[in-house]
Amino acid sequence: FLLLVLGGRVLGPGFGFALGRTTLFGSALITAGVGPWMPYQMFACAWIGLFSGCLPQLRGKAEIAMLAAYGAVAGYAYGFLSNLSFWPFSLDPGSSIAYVPGASLATQWHHYLVFDATTSLGWDTGRAITNFAAICIVGPAALRTFRRAARKAAFTAPVEFSPAGA
């Protein structure tokens, strides 16, 4: 998440979205993690990268603090969104935390929150703490590196077309 949050921050929401999608896709191919859960993970990471590019413009320690807090929230959000890939299908329908077809939104919401808290809150907390610490420690140097690379690559250079015989 460190590179996803910082890359989206420096290079913008569109790049962050693409970075989240392609990173998860490439990782799944390399580690043989391709399955029905992969699109959910790809979109969860894509949204995290997109929203990191939409954060308010700050500099210095305030920016690092904001990005670290966002990284912690993103750690929880990733788990929350990824759990949607299997919650309706993975439990005994008689369970108190299972998806219940035809139930009210309030009932479904309650079941999902309890499901998320009991199955992945520990993993999500570890991810949130790691994101927060990594961004605080490595964030300033990585942001400088990304900004320097973006300046040298001239991603925002205007495109000019000249006539075909000129």
Side-chain angles (χ1 to χ4, degrees), residues 48-128:
I48 288 167
L50 180 136
F51 290 132
S52 70
C54 295
L55 293 171
Q57 294 298 319
L58 298 172
R59 292 289 188 194
K61 292 184 183 200
E63 180 180 34
I64 296 300
M66 176 188 64
L67 290 174
Y70 176 74
V73 170
Y76 285 110
Y78 175 78
F80 190 79
L81 292 171
S82 295
N83 282 343
L84 289 171
S85 67
F86 62 90
W87 171 62
F89 315 108
S90 66
L91 299 171
D92 172 27
S95 170
S96 64
I97 60 175
Y99 173 77
V100 180
S104 69
L105 179 62
T107 300
Q108 302 290 20
W109 182 244
H110 174 71
H111 284 202
Y112 184 69
L113 289 177
V114 174
F115 171 79
D116 187 65
T118 57
T119 60
S120 71
L121 192 60
W123 292 104
D124 298 343
T125 300
R127 186 182 306 113

Side-chain angles (χ1 to χ4, degrees), residues 1-70:
F1 275 60
L2 170 75
L3 299 178
L4 176 62
V5 170
L6 300 179
R9 170 68 177 174
V10 171
L11 298 169
F15 185 85
F17 188 84
L19 181 64
R21 282 181 312 152
T22 56
T23 299
L24 251 292
F25 182 70
S27 172
L29 292 178
I30 291 169
T31 62
V34 177
W37 56 84
M38 190 177 70
Y40 292 88
Q41 292 175 337
M42 288 172 60
F43 275 109
C45 272
W47 289 338
I48 288 167
L50 180 136
F51 290 132
S52 70
C54 295
L55 293 171
Q57 294 298 319
L58 298 172
R59 292 289 188 194
K61 292 184 183 200
E63 180 180 34
I64 296 300
M66 176 188 64
L67 290 174
Y70 176 74

